[in-house]
Amino acid sequence: MKRPLSTRLLLQLQSPTRTLTNPYICTSCFQSRRARFSTSPRLNANPPPPPQSSYALLPSRRLISLSGPDAPHFLQGVITANIAPSTPRTSGFYAAFLNAPGRILNDVFIYPDSNNLLKGKYDGSGGENWIVEVDAQAAETLYKHLKRFRLRAKFDIRLLPEDEMQTWSLWKEDKSKEVGMGWTPHTIPTETVPAPAGHIECVDIRAPEMGKRLLLLGGSKPPAEDTEGLVETDEMSYTIRRYLKGVAEGQDEILRESALPQESNIDYMSGIDYRKGCYVGQELTIRTHHTGVVRKRILPVQLYGAKEDEPQTLEYKPEVEIAAPPAETQIGRFEKRGRSAGKWLKGVGNVGLALCRLEIMTNAMQGEGAGYKEGDEFKFEWKTEDGAENLVKVKAFVPAWHLSK
């Protein structure tokens, strides 16, 4: 016999698995629901620090294949690097695609497929097969851009499925002299070294100890001889390392049709050849190099609380829970008035990248116009969707490899 409604309600209120605020929701469900929709930060939500010696698959990267006799000539006219130096290339290199006014469309790695691993439409002899590695979010856009300007050039272009070929990054930070791992300017392989038979590779010379990159057919892992002494990790470890070294990558950090090559450190990262022939966007790039002053650059930054002391060294602290500003939030002076000192790009936890005005935020520019003084502090200030005001302080760091350029 079914009990009266009043009796059922009384039993529910007396049950230890019910809450007094809502007799129809049990405690466990209520706690689960509250945790799911809570807006307060979770403790230890940040990823751990990256391993010193490791390798990681990079799902954020996609590949475009250009196969045919006209592929190198076409690429030579649309990228900032030189695809045809004095000796034939057997490994990948860093470069960028620009638009006509000299703004960055995409930062890329370009690899010769000398062994024709992708079995292109045309014979791979003579270095006629090339692979462009680009930000996965922008791969479709770049693919359509290249197809539009191919015209009657004799080469086939194809956006590779994600599982056909993948990008891996390998690194060591133990000052190893092994080529491609503990990188120094004297360990870059010459272009006469034969290409490996089973994969395509590239020393990542954008910054010291960035390691090397491998292109492997889908489902494959780096060879055992390359991963000896390394542990496999995820792409987040690779990303945190990039931020700590001040290396921007992809269109969330190098803003499409807005960023300039020198402001994005493409020149410092060996991505521009100032002695090559004409290419799209060359005029402004060359003029800036010879006559202009680069007053803004992407730098690694550290976020810290409004009541905390300024950090003296750049350090990723996973235990720190701090709110990051929305993308492109302007940098202001802390407790002072003045023009914008830059803007936020992207980060993880308490570290990230920002486009910074050097004369305001650093002592890298001396002389007339330099406004930085020791002890100056800077901030991000913004409102959330519910109207709450947020403020965090930010410190910019000039990497040592900038100063050596």
Side-chain angles (χ1 to χ4, degrees):
M1 179 178 178
K2 191 173 182 179
R3 294 175 178 175
L5 177 61
S6 58
T7 305
R8 297 203 306 271
L9 287 176
L10 180 61
L11 290 174
Q12 288 173 346
L13 288 171
Q14 292 175 344
S15 172
T17 62
R18 303 289 168 180
T19 67
L20 294 178
T21 55
N22 190 337
Y24 300 99
I25 302 178
C26 71
T27 305
S28 59
C29 292
F30 179 76
Q31 294 292 344
S32 174
R33 181 178 177 183
R34 183 171 61 182
R36 180 180 176 185
F37 294 101
S38 175
T39 57
S40 59
R42 295 179 292 119
L43 295 178
N44 300 323
N46 294 320
Q52 289 191 341
S53 301
S54 192
Y55 63 101
L57 176 66
L58 307 183
S60 67
R61 310 295 288 177
R62 286 284 301 275
L63 302 170
I64 300 172
S65 168
L66 287 79
S67 170
D70 291 342
H73 178 73
F74 173 81
L75 285 173
Q76 182 76 341
V78 292
I79 61 171
T80 55
N82 192 349
I83 203 169
S86 56
T87 56
R89 290 188 180 274
T90 58
S91 63
F93 57 96
Y94 185 59
F97 288 89
L98 309 180
N99 61 12
R103 305 282 174 167
I104 296 178
L105 295 177
N106 304 96
D107 66 304
V108 296
F109 281 89
I110 298 180
Y111 307 80
D113 184 8
S114 305
N115 295 321
N116 199 22
L117 293 182
L118 289 177
K119 311 297 182 185
K121 176 180 177 181
Y122 295 90
D123 177 28
S125 61
E128 294 172 351
N129 284 12
W130 297 83
I131 299 173
V132 177
E133 177 204 320
V134 67
D135 182 1
Q137 299 180 79
E140 185 74 31
T141 301
L142 179 59
Y143 168 68
K144 292 179 180 178
H145 175 78
L146 296 178
K147 284 193 68 175
R148 186 181 307 119
F149 290 98
R150 180 181 56 176
L151 301 179
R152 296 183 180 180
K154 188 178 180 182
F155 68 90
D156 181 55
I157 180 170
R158 188 164 64 94
L159 176 62
L160 303 187
E162 295 180 9
D163 58 353
E164 182 171 350
M165 181 173 274
Q166 298 169 318
T167 305
W168 292 75
S169 176
L170 297 79
W171 67 85
K172 283 184 180 178
E173 291 193 12
D174 60 354
K175 310 303 180 184
S176 169
K177 297 300 182 183
E178 183 180 353
V179 170
M181 306 299 277
W183 174 81
T184 67
H186 303 291
T187 61
I188 302 174
T190 64
E191 297 300 338
T192 57
V193 176
H199 62 267
I200 302 169
E201 66 179 40
C202 163
V203 177
D204 190 343
I205 63 172
R206 291 177 297 175
E209 296 184 338
M210 278 298 293
K212 68 178 181 180
R213 303 168 91 82
L214 267 61
L215 302 186
L216 300 173
L217 294 175
S220 303
K221 287 196 173 185
E225 59 268 23
D226 284 331
T227 59
E228 184 178 358
L230 309 183
V231 295
E232 185 172 358
T233 185
D234 57 20
E235 188 174 14
M236 186 57 68
S237 295
Y238 165 83
T239 301
I240 295 171
R241 289 187 76 253
R242 280 200 303 105
Y243 291 161
L244 293 173
K245 294 179 180 297
V247 176
E249 183 178 280
Q251 273 44 73
D252 286 344
E253 299 161 19
I254 302 177
L255 304 179
R256 181 180 176 85
E257 297 186 274
S258 174
L260 289 170
Q262 287 92 341
E263 292 180 352
S264 306
N265 305 320
I266 306 293
D267 55 341
Y268 281 2
M269 297 189 291
S270 303
I272 302 175
D273 188 334
Y274 291 111
R275 296 172 295 179
K276 67 172 284 188
C278 295
Y279 58 88
V280 178
Q282 181 197 34
E283 183 178 352
L284 177 63
T285 305
I286 293 293
R287 188 166 68 244
T288 302
H289 174 64
H290 288 296
T291 64
V293 177
V294 181
R295 299 191 176 277
K296 294 184 291 183
R297 284 194 180 269
I298 293 177
L299 297 178
V301 298
Q302 183 169 330
L303 305 176
Y304 60 108
K307 297 182 179 180
E308 296 179 15
D309 294 332
E310 181 183 38
Q312 299 304 307
T313 57
L314 179 64
E315 183 181 0
Y316 172 64
K317 299 179 179 179
E319 71 277 6
V320 173
E321 287 288 344
I322 191 165
E328 300 190 58
T329 299
Q330 298 296 308
I331 302 174
R333 292 177 179 269
F334 185 68
E335 297 181 339
K336 288 184 180 180
R337 293 183 179 272
R339 64 186 298 192
S340 169
K343 61 183 177 182
W344 172 255
L345 297 172
K346 199 173 182 181
V348 175
N350 70 319
V351 298
L353 298 174
L355 181 63
C356 303
R357 292 189 179 275
L358 301 178
E359 72 272 18
I360 297 178
M361 293 193 70
T362 76
N363 57 5
M365 297 185 68
Q366 303 295 330
E368 186 176 353
Y372 176 77
K373 295 180 181 178
E374 196 69 31
D376 283 353
E377 291 189 290
F378 302 89
K379 66 178 180 179
F380 289 114
E381 198 168 10
W382 74 98
K383 287 186 177 181
T384 60
E385 294 181 356
D386 59 4
E389 295 184 352
N390 278 334
L391 186 152
V392 296
K393 291 195 286 188
V394 57
K395 168 75 172 180
F397 294 85
V398 179
W401 58 275
H402 279 216
L403 303 177
S404 65
K405 297 294 182 178

mmCIF file of all heavy atoms in Angstrom, residues 3-13:
data_model
loop_
_atom_site.group_PDB
_atom_site.id
_atom_site.type_symbol
_atom_site.label_atom_id
_atom_site.label_comp_id
_atom_site.label_asym_id
_atom_site.label_seq_id
_atom_site.Cartn_x
_atom_site.Cartn_y
_atom_site.Cartn_z
ATOM 1 N N ARG A 3 2.176 4.833 0.782
ATOM 2 C CA ARG A 3 2.044 5.736 1.923
ATOM 3 C C ARG A 3 1.560 7.110 1.489
ATOM 4 O O ARG A 3 1.834 7.541 0.366
ATOM 5 C CB ARG A 3 3.382 5.883 2.634
ATOM 6 C CG ARG A 3 3.855 4.579 3.293
ATOM 7 C CD ARG A 3 5.231 4.767 3.864
ATOM 8 N NE ARG A 3 5.677 3.560 4.541
ATOM 9 C CZ ARG A 3 6.893 3.408 5.057
ATOM 10 N NH1 ARG A 3 7.774 4.381 4.939
ATOM 11 N NH2 ARG A 3 7.225 2.285 5.658
ATOM 12 N N PRO A 4 0.845 7.808 2.421
ATOM 13 C CA PRO A 4 0.411 9.179 2.101
ATOM 14 C C PRO A 4 1.612 10.083 1.824
ATOM 15 O O PRO A 4 2.710 9.856 2.296
ATOM 16 C CB PRO A 4 -0.348 9.606 3.370
ATOM 17 C CG PRO A 4 -0.675 8.343 4.064
ATOM 18 C CD PRO A 4 0.381 7.366 3.723
ATOM 19 N N LEU A 5 1.375 11.174 1.062
ATOM 20 C CA LEU A 5 2.439 12.108 0.691
ATOM 21 C C LEU A 5 3.096 12.717 1.923
ATOM 22 O O LEU A 5 4.319 12.862 1.976
ATOM 23 C CB LEU A 5 1.856 13.206 -0.202
ATOM 24 C CG LEU A 5 2.837 14.316 -0.618
ATOM 25 C CD1 LEU A 5 3.984 13.736 -1.423
ATOM 26 C CD2 LEU A 5 2.099 15.395 -1.423
ATOM 27 N N SER A 6 2.302 13.063 2.949
ATOM 28 C CA SER A 6 2.863 13.690 4.151
ATOM 29 C C SER A 6 3.834 12.746 4.851
ATOM 30 O O SER A 6 4.874 13.167 5.363
ATOM 31 C CB SER A 6 1.733 14.091 5.107
ATOM 32 O OG SER A 6 0.961 12.954 5.443
ATOM 33 N N THR A 7 3.511 11.446 4.872
ATOM 34 C CA THR A 7 4.399 10.464 5.505
ATOM 35 C C THR A 7 5.696 10.332 4.725
ATOM 36 O O THR A 7 6.779 10.254 5.299
ATOM 37 C CB THR A 7 3.695 9.102 5.595
ATOM 38 O OG1 THR A 7 2.453 9.248 6.282
ATOM 39 C CG2 THR A 7 4.575 8.089 6.314
ATOM 40 N N ARG A 8 5.623 10.310 3.374
ATOM 41 C CA ARG A 8 6.827 10.177 2.548
ATOM 42 C C ARG A 8 7.751 11.383 2.718
ATOM 43 O O ARG A 8 8.974 11.246 2.793
ATOM 44 C CB ARG A 8 6.436 10.036 1.065
ATOM 45 C CG ARG A 8 5.623 8.768 0.789
ATOM 46 C CD ARG A 8 5.732 8.351 -0.676
ATOM 47 N NE ARG A 8 5.388 9.411 -1.585
ATOM 48 C CZ ARG A 8 4.154 9.664 -2.041
ATOM 49 N NH1 ARG A 8 3.128 8.926 -1.601
ATOM 50 N NH2 ARG A 8 3.924 10.634 -2.900
ATOM 51 N N LEU A 9 7.185 12.577 2.818
ATOM 52 C CA LEU A 9 7.991 13.783 3.014
ATOM 53 C C LEU A 9 8.706 13.754 4.354
ATOM 54 O O LEU A 9 9.875 14.154 4.479
ATOM 55 C CB LEU A 9 7.117 15.034 2.905
ATOM 56 C CG LEU A 9 6.654 15.412 1.489
ATOM 57 C CD1 LEU A 9 5.709 16.613 1.560
ATOM 58 C CD2 LEU A 9 7.860 15.746 0.611
ATOM 59 N N LEU A 10 7.989 13.276 5.405
ATOM 60 C CA LEU A 10 8.589 13.201 6.737
ATOM 61 C C LEU A 10 9.752 12.237 6.731
ATOM 62 O O LEU A 10 10.810 12.514 7.316
ATOM 63 C CB LEU A 10 7.522 12.768 7.755
ATOM 64 C CG LEU A 10 8.017 12.647 9.211
ATOM 65 C CD1 LEU A 10 8.518 14.000 9.713
ATOM 66 C CD2 LEU A 10 6.889 12.130 10.106
ATOM 67 N N LEU A 11 9.627 11.096 6.069
ATOM 68 C CA LEU A 11 10.715 10.123 6.003
ATOM 69 C C LEU A 11 11.913 10.684 5.251
ATOM 70 O O LEU A 11 13.072 10.445 5.597
ATOM 71 C CB LEU A 11 10.215 8.842 5.331
ATOM 72 C CG LEU A 11 9.215 8.007 6.130
ATOM 73 C CD1 LEU A 11 8.685 6.848 5.284
ATOM 74 C CD2 LEU A 11 9.877 7.478 7.412
ATOM 75 N N GLN A 12 11.643 11.453 4.192
ATOM 76 C CA GLN A 12 12.735 12.040 3.425
ATOM 77 C C GLN A 12 13.499 13.060 4.260
ATOM 78 O O GLN A 12 14.728 13.140 4.217
ATOM 79 C CB GLN A 12 12.189 12.713 2.157
ATOM 80 C CG GLN A 12 11.727 11.713 1.100
ATOM 81 C CD GLN A 12 11.050 12.400 -0.070
ATOM 82 O OE1 GLN A 12 10.694 13.583 0.025
ATOM 83 N NE2 GLN A 12 10.842 11.659 -1.145
ATOM 84 N N LEU A 13 12.787 13.866 5.030
ATOM 85 C CA LEU A 13 13.436 14.877 5.869
ATOM 86 C C LEU A 13 14.265 14.228 6.969
ATOM 87 O O LEU A 13 15.289 14.762 7.387
ATOM 88 C CB LEU A 13 12.373 15.791 6.488
ATOM 89 C CG LEU A 13 11.707 16.774 5.519
ATOM 90 C CD1 LEU A 13 10.537 17.464 6.209
ATOM 91 C CD2 LEU A 13 12.723 17.813 5.036
#
